[in-house]
Amino acid sequence: MTMAPLTHLGDLTVAEFIADYWQQKPVCIRNGIAFEDALIAMDELAGLALEPEVESRLIENKGDIKDWQVTHGPLKEVDFNKERDFPWTLLVQGVDCFVPQVHDFLAKFRFLPSWRLDDIMISYATNGAGVGAHYDRYDVFLIQGEGQRQWQIGQTCSENSALMAHDQLCLLQDFEWHEEFILNPGDMLYIPPLVAHQGVAVSDACVTYSVGFRSPSHGDVLTTFADERSIDISADLRLKDQGFTPNSGEISAADVEGLMQLMRDQITPENVAQWFGKHSTEAKYPALDMAEDAMDLAELESIINDAYGVLRVSEGVRLAYTWQGDGGLTLFVQGEALPCPPEATAFVEAIANQWLLEVDEMAPVIVNDAAKAMLLILHNQGYLYFADE
Ligand code: SIN
Ligand code: CO
């Protein structure tokens, strides 16, 4: 499967999609993706749901919606072997962190900023199954992989939208749908944050890939920036009195201005970029084992000379970079900042932008020792690996 990002979503160019729909309104895109094969087989998806490090849920649509049963993973073999005369859905989160071909599929969405990409959730449903009417706070592309699903699109919601009484599912009490689509394999539906939607499988073996895009809440921005900055600020630095009225309980306007200045002093382009680079690349699953066998320079040079295979970003690894005021590039990977020597920037930009480099085409970006050293650091931490394809 190619790692090239999409240039078209069905008949829409990426530019048209971004101008007219992205973060604005839902759109159904027919034949958006040409699948050669399924991204994952049902038994492999079920196998992932048994693993303790994988987030999964089984939702059983038995009886009244308020009684729908949710079982959180790790699931057990018996959960799949049970005979059921009612519909059910298996949902597995972050499948791109575990399965290389699903990670490759995520790369098709690099036409959007890669720090916005969250994960691919894959659901497998039996005929009639659904997770109920709800809204997400993410942008999401819902792509039909196999079978058929009917989608209904409703109103824009908010935190004030009334929810049903269910202790595990956030389902809307009122779902005012006004558009309906049946998706076939290769069709996709883009849904902006807060837009109500409901999908119901209308075939057996209905597989949906949800490509989710996160965006930090304002509250998160403020708390995580403040947390990051406070690490570097000496506890000896204290607010200076700004001039006060004796014998007064007042917090003066000058005090408030002094506090605001103290905060403003921290909001520099360098500080914000450093914090956001680290924050936005924090691992989704920090406990994921990425260990690769350590490689030395001689082994790396021999791979480059053989000019065979590809260098890949490891599944589950988040990369981003920023150019700082002085012209230097900082690479962010799994929440760490790695300042990059100028001779290594071409390599770092190439791998962070493309996620995959053909070894036989890598020579121009890996000509010098600094680039090779950077590659070895990233490889030996398990962030990159060599593969046949
Ligand atoms: C599903 O795949 O069943 C649900 C996806 C969603 O509505 O977010
Ligand atoms: Co949803």
Side-chain angles (χ1 to χ4, degrees):
M1 183 169 297
T2 162
M3 301 281 277
L6 295 173
T7 56
H8 283 72
L9 296 112
D11 295 336
L12 288 174
T13 64
V14 162
E16 286 165 341
F17 169 75
I18 290 170
D20 297 339
Y21 299 100
W22 177 242
Q23 301 240 281
Q24 300 160 57
K25 53 184 183 220
V27 57
C28 174
I29 297 158
R30 297 287 174 196
N31 287 314
I33 303 280
F35 286 113
E36 282 153 34
D37 296 303
L39 292 184
I40 187 166
M42 165 56 189
D43 52 354
E44 198 185 343
L45 192 68
L48 279 176
L50 305 178
E51 301 292 336
E53 68 271 26
V54 178
E55 256 181 285
S56 62
R57 278 171 303 157
L58 185 76
I59 300 183
E60 296 176 297
N61 307 123
K62 187 179 181 183
D64 189 82
I65 201 165
K66 295 196 182 87
D67 302 321
W68 284 0
Q69 193 74 39
V70 184
T71 311
H72 289 274
L75 300 174
K76 301 192 182 63
E77 298 272 358
V78 300
D79 294 318
F80 296 107
N81 298 336
K82 242 201 279 190
E83 280 293 321
R84 296 180 179 88
D85 58 2
F86 49 86
W88 56 273
T89 307
L90 166 69
L91 301 113
V92 183
Q93 209 73 47
V95 183
D96 53 292
C97 297
F98 304 98
V99 181
Q101 65 270 24
V102 179
H103 186 248
D104 285 359
F105 185 70
L106 190 62
K108 290 188 175 294
F109 292 84
R110 284 188 295 122
F111 65 86
L112 293 159
S114 53
W115 61 262
R116 290 274 269 112
L117 280 168
D118 187 25
D119 74 338
I120 299 191
M121 178 182 81
I122 302 188
S123 67
Y124 175 96
T126 62
N127 202 351
V131 304
H134 65 279
Y135 68 91
D136 302 299
R137 291 201 169 86
Y138 282 18
D139 298 270
V140 67
F141 291 91
L142 297 159
I143 300 144
Q144 195 61 27
E146 293 166 58
Q148 285 187 313
R149 185 181 282 274
Q150 179 196 60
W151 286 101
Q152 293 173 324
I153 313 287
Q155 74 276 25
T156 299
C157 301
S158 75
E159 62 185 356
N160 300 322
S161 302
L163 299 179
M164 284 194 176
H166 195 295
D167 51 3
Q168 309 228 46
L169 292 169
C170 289
L171 301 176
L172 287 166
Q173 231 170 62
D174 306 304
F175 178 47
E176 297 144 22
W177 66 272
H178 51 80
E179 265 185 303
E180 192 172 60
F181 305 96
I182 293 197
L183 261 57
N184 290 301
D187 293 344
M188 64 174 147
L189 195 58
Y190 162 69
I191 304 196
L194 304 178
V195 174
H197 55 282
Q198 159 157 262
V200 176
V202 289
S203 75
D204 264 326
C206 167
V207 178
T208 301
Y209 308 126
S210 301
V211 180
F213 289 78
R214 69 217 159 108
S215 173
S217 70
H218 292 197
D220 261 359
V221 166
L222 294 175
T223 53
T224 60
F225 178 70
D227 282 350
E228 162 78 17
R229 289 309 306 145
S230 62
I231 297 168
D232 289 343
I233 301 174
S234 161
D236 297 343
L237 291 172
R238 296 280 147 165
L239 176 70
K240 287 238 167 20
D241 288 333
Q242 305 294 319
F244 50 85
T245 316
N247 310 321
S248 162
E250 182 188 6
I251 295 168
S252 69
D255 290 327
V256 172
E257 177 51 32
L259 286 160
M260 285 171 55
Q261 190 55 44
L262 178 161
M263 291 190 241
R264 275 197 295 266
D265 287 346
Q266 294 303 320
I267 306 175
T268 64
E270 288 75 18
N271 286 351
V272 173
Q274 279 290 317
W275 149 72
F276 195 61
K278 291 186 194 171
H279 178 64
S280 63
T281 58
E282 272 169 17
K284 187 170 177 73
Y285 299 119
L288 215 65
D289 182 14
M290 315 252 169
E292 281 289 314
D293 288 340
M295 177 180 280
D296 63 20
L297 185 61
E299 285 168 288
L300 173 62
E301 286 179 337
S302 130
I303 290 178
I304 297 171
N305 288 339
D306 288 349
Y308 169 75
V310 291
L311 177 65
R312 280 174 170 274
V313 173
S314 303
E315 294 76 45
V317 167
R318 290 177 164 158
L319 289 178
Y321 62 88
T322 180
W323 289 95
Q324 297 274 274
D326 60 2
L329 183 147
T330 302
L331 174 69
F332 302 98
V333 50
Q334 302 297 75
E336 254 184 90
L338 297 174
C340 191
E343 311 78 45
T345 55
F347 162 66
V348 167
E349 270 193 301
I351 194 73
N353 290 339
Q354 297 167 45
W355 301 4
L356 178 146
L357 298 173
E358 303 276 346
V359 174
D360 64 354
E361 290 168 7
M362 216 165 68
V365 290
I366 201 87
V367 274
N368 55 65
D369 290 347
K372 288 176 190 162
M374 197 74 184
L375 192 162
L376 284 174
I377 290 171
L378 296 171
H379 175 277
N380 291 349
Q381 302 250 28
Y383 301 149
L384 304 178
Y385 69 101
F386 286 99
D388 289 348
E389 56 180 28

